[in-house]
Amino acid sequence: MGSSQGSTLSSNATGFADGSSAHTDVKYIDTVPVYVKELIAGGAAGAFAKTAVAPLERIKILLQTRTDFHSVGIYHSLKKILKHEGAAGFYKGNGASVIRIVPYAALHFMTYERYRLWILDNYSALGTGPVVDLLAGSAAGGTAVLCTYPLDLARTKLAYQIVEARGPVLHGTTQFNASPAYSGIRNVMESVYREGGVRALYRGIGPTLIGILPYAGLKFYVYEELKSHVPEEHQKSILMRLSCGALAGLFGQTFTYPLDVVRRQMQVEHLQPSSQGGVRYRSTLDGLGSIVRNQGWRQLFAGLSINYIKIVPSVAIGFTAYDMMKSWLHIPPRQKSKATSAA
């Protein structure tokens, strides 16, 4: 008996020495379904990327929706926030943003992988090239938006708020007069629901879907297409992934940014004075036309410069973190089809 126990202890000690305990962890990870791993990888990547660019996201929303901000530019907007709200002001709405981005990014990446595999299995005529990534990315973007849009609405309303200031803000000409209307995510959701029900929680979903379908598709299309031209020995380079992700984000955002402006203005329009006393934008096209007529075509691109600055690290970090999380979670490389995967 003692000899048996001694040999067991000896084998355990040997196991720790040669790393077999790590092998046990690997086996445990490998028992987790692939789609669950993809959800975890996508959610973690989204949260990390979103937090990294939160200050730029706050300024971008203010530039899109408040005339007293887009008239003074990025630098003075940053000074306004720092002076009257402190460093914490740069992260106002980031809690809602992260709470939203975790399920959004998780669903986005996971459904992209699932849609991609489904297209390969059912529409082989499309081949296995980047067109499949375009279609799968678009469908995944739409799915993720529909599931998480109310959280995006709450994030925008929280970020739109400016705390009350007692004195002049910039060169003695501008003052903040509005106190925060919402105390947090739950308060936003409850207030919006009381005002207009479920429909109000999806105010602005039209331009969001119209914008996200091409944006999400182009983002995945460009990223995967650029990666396919990288030599095999550089495929795992972090710098390569960051570069491909940055270009993918910039390209996709340029074509869809005006729709993002319409969406933001629709989300906060009840917080702004309306000369008509009602809903200002009846549809996405009406919103685009109204902004051009009343605010000028430049307003369709308000905040685009800072969005470029934000998109470069955000999309780049997101794609890179996702690829690294896939490796860490031992998610197998993408297969041509389910049949290939099973083989």
Side-chain angles (χ1 to χ4, degrees):
M1 180 70 70
S3 175
S4 174
Q5 288 178 339
S7 63
T8 301
L9 290 172
S10 176
S11 64
N12 286 342
T14 303
F16 279 104
D18 64 12
S20 61
S21 62
H23 182 64
T24 302
D25 291 338
V26 170
K27 284 187 175 180
Y28 176 75
I29 291 175
D30 289 342
T31 63
V32 178
V34 173
Y35 74 90
V36 174
K37 294 181 183 180
E38 291 166 351
L39 283 170
I40 295 172
F48 186 72
K50 182 62 69 175
T51 301
V53 298
L56 296 174
E57 179 69 13
R58 174 90 199 278
I59 295 298
K60 186 199 77 171
I61 290 176
L62 292 175
L63 289 171
Q64 287 179 328
T65 58
R66 301 186 71 102
T67 55
D68 57 322
F69 269 80
H70 72 70
S71 62
V72 300
I74 297 172
Y75 177 70
H76 289 300
S77 294
L78 289 168
K79 287 182 64 177
K80 278 186 179 184
I81 297 298
L82 184 61
K83 179 178 180 180
H84 295 279
E85 300 183 42
F90 293 130
Y91 292 89
K92 179 176 288 186
N94 189 55
S97 185
V98 170
I99 290 175
R100 165 192 167 267
I101 203 62
V102 169
Y104 174 84
L107 285 169
H108 197 177
F109 282 107
M110 186 275 287
T111 55
Y112 160 73
E113 303 284 3
R114 300 301 100 194
Y115 284 138
R116 183 179 183 277
L117 196 57
W118 180 80
I119 292 171
L120 289 172
D121 285 344
N122 293 277
Y123 298 94
S124 57
L126 293 174
T128 60
V131 172
V132 176
D133 295 304
L134 178 67
L135 296 175
S138 296
T143 301
V145 163
L146 286 173
C147 292
T148 62
Y149 187 78
L151 290 171
D152 181 59
L153 184 76
R155 183 273 303 260
T156 299
K157 289 182 181 296
L158 289 171
Y160 175 81
Q161 295 176 158
I162 297 295
V163 298
E164 183 175 325
R166 296 183 178 277
V169 174
L170 182 63
H171 303 309
T173 59
T174 305
Q175 292 183 339
F176 295 123
N177 297 314
S179 298
Y182 302 113
S183 59
I185 301 170
R186 181 177 178 180
N187 181 238
V188 173
M189 304 283 277
E190 291 175 345
S191 298
V192 173
Y193 182 78
R194 283 197 303 267
E195 292 169 5
V198 175
R199 186 173 182 177
L201 291 173
Y202 282 86
R203 180 66 182 161
I205 189 66
T208 301
L209 285 175
I210 294 173
I212 199 62
L213 292 178
Y215 172 67
L218 285 170
K219 188 171 65 173
F220 279 101
Y221 174 93
V222 174
Y223 183 69
E224 296 299 334
E225 176 69 6
L226 289 174
K227 279 175 58 179
S228 69
H229 290 85
V230 175
E232 185 68 26
E233 60 270 22
H234 299 300
Q235 282 288 332
K236 294 185 178 180
S237 167
I238 293 180
L239 181 60
M240 180 280 296
R241 291 171 177 170
L242 287 171
S243 299
C244 292
L247 290 173
L250 287 171
F251 186 79
Q253 190 69 193
T254 299
F255 287 93
T256 61
Y257 191 78
L259 295 169
D260 190 45
V261 174
V262 175
R263 170 172 63 115
R264 297 299 183 196
Q265 293 205 8
M266 291 179 76
Q267 287 177 336
V268 301
E269 65 182 6
H270 80 284
L271 300 176
Q272 300 171 319
S274 175
S275 59
Q276 298 176 358
V279 176
R280 294 187 306 159
Y281 304 146
R282 295 186 298 273
S283 65
T284 302
L285 289 178
D286 178 56
L288 288 169
S290 179
I291 290 174
V292 171
R293 288 192 304 271
N294 301 321
Q295 303 175 44
W297 68 268
R298 292 179 181 274
Q299 180 60 23
L300 291 176
F301 297 92
L304 180 57
S305 59
I306 198 169
N307 209 49
Y308 279 145
I309 298 172
K310 179 183 77 75
I311 281 297
V312 171
S314 180
V315 178
I317 291 171
F319 273 122
T320 303
Y322 178 66
D323 282 347
M324 294 181 70
M325 284 293 293
K326 285 176 64 178
S327 177
W328 184 70
L329 293 171
H330 304 150
I331 297 176
R334 293 193 184 105
Q335 304 294 333
K336 296 294 184 182
S337 67
K338 288 182 181 178
T340 305
S341 180

